Amino acid sequence: THTPSRAFRKPERGNRYMRENRGGRSQGGGRSQGGGRNGKGSSPDTTPLSDLVSGTFIKVGPRTPLDTCIRHIVGDRCSDLYVTDEEGHFLGVITPFDVVAHLGPGMGVRSRKKSHHLGPLLSRDDLCAEDIMSRGHIAVMQDTPLSEALRLMEKHHHPDLVVVNREGVLVGIVDVCSILSYLASEGDS
């Protein structure tokens, strides 16, 4: 696992690195269907991820209270949260599994004393986003070729990749289903 340093490091294609931002749903970008900037028939080696990136995701700041994070996750059909700093630099991801891992000794799968509600966890005011986020998520540049994205997803068993610009600012997410949809539409041309 890699822990972020406060100094910004310029990302390279396919490298893992992290960063953090303030809450709210971010929308922008969007998926393009068809050949993107290269036209119909582009290959996975020449198609950049920027042609497939989804700009719809929920981002939170590193100091966002845990109860707010849980409400975002539950309210958006158990979606992941993306932690960024004030400038939008990517720091980490909070998945529903990260929340489950922090349920505490009175809850969770290994507990003998089962509690079937989140009350004890929600009442804790000492935990925030940066305390439970996963720092090992893969972030790639938006000009990373589609073929490299697929290689990274397969190698690291990640169903999605965080896409950042040259400054490390989170611009969107690319998931394996979007890639499959894109490849299927390319096969129809």
Side-chain angles (χ1 to χ4, degrees):
T1 7
H2 176 74
T3 53
S5 64
R6 286 317 248 167
F8 174 70
R9 292 185 331 157
K10 189 174 180 179
E12 295 178 32
R13 258 187 223 165
N15 281 359
R16 291 175 174 222
Y17 75 98
M18 303 298 135
R19 293 230 127 285
E20 335 179 347
N21 188 7
R22 298 269 168 199
R25 178 175 292 281
S26 178
Q27 295 183 14
R31 288 187 194 118
S32 72
Q33 298 296 323
R37 80 169 95 154
N38 296 319
K40 280 282 189 195
S42 11
S43 83
D45 292 327
T46 60
T47 302
L49 287 183
S50 59
D51 286 358
L52 294 133
V53 70
S54 169
T56 302
F57 52 89
I58 300 174
K59 63 181 180 174
V60 297
R63 301 298 306 155
T64 302
L66 182 59
D67 66 329
T68 302
C69 293
I70 291 172
R71 291 181 207 297
H72 277 305
I73 289 171
V74 173
D76 198 47
R77 299 178 302 144
C78 266
S79 295
D80 295 345
L81 301 180
Y82 298 87
V83 184
T84 62
D85 64 16
E86 288 84 15
E87 293 83 34
H89 297 112
F90 175 65
L91 294 172
V93 176
I94 300 173
T95 68
F97 292 110
D98 294 323
V99 173
V100 169
H102 287 83
L103 288 176
M107 296 179 72
V109 281
R110 295 194 178 120
S111 173
R112 291 178 187 207
K113 186 176 168 185
K114 297 291 182 194
S115 174
H116 298 288
H117 59 86
L118 290 175
L121 185 61
L122 291 174
S123 66
R124 290 187 62 180
D125 58 359
D126 61 328
L127 291 177
C128 59
E130 68 185 346
D131 297 324
I132 68 165
M133 71 182 184
S134 299
R135 289 171 164 77
H137 205 79
I138 301 170
V140 295
M141 299 286 292
Q142 60 194 106
D143 62 349
T144 299
L146 180 57
S147 58
E148 175 67 4
L150 286 169
R151 187 189 70 73
L152 289 168
M153 287 175 166
E154 180 181 7
K155 178 181 177 181
H156 298 285
H157 302 280
H158 275 280
D160 56 28
L161 297 174
V162 172
V163 181
V164 298
N165 66 17
R166 295 210 178 277
E167 291 76 40
V169 173
L170 176 61
V171 296
I173 311 302
V174 172
D175 62 47
V176 69
C177 291
S178 298
I179 292 173
L180 291 173
S181 175
Y182 176 83
L183 293 173
S185 71
E186 285 297 303
D188 294 339
S189 60

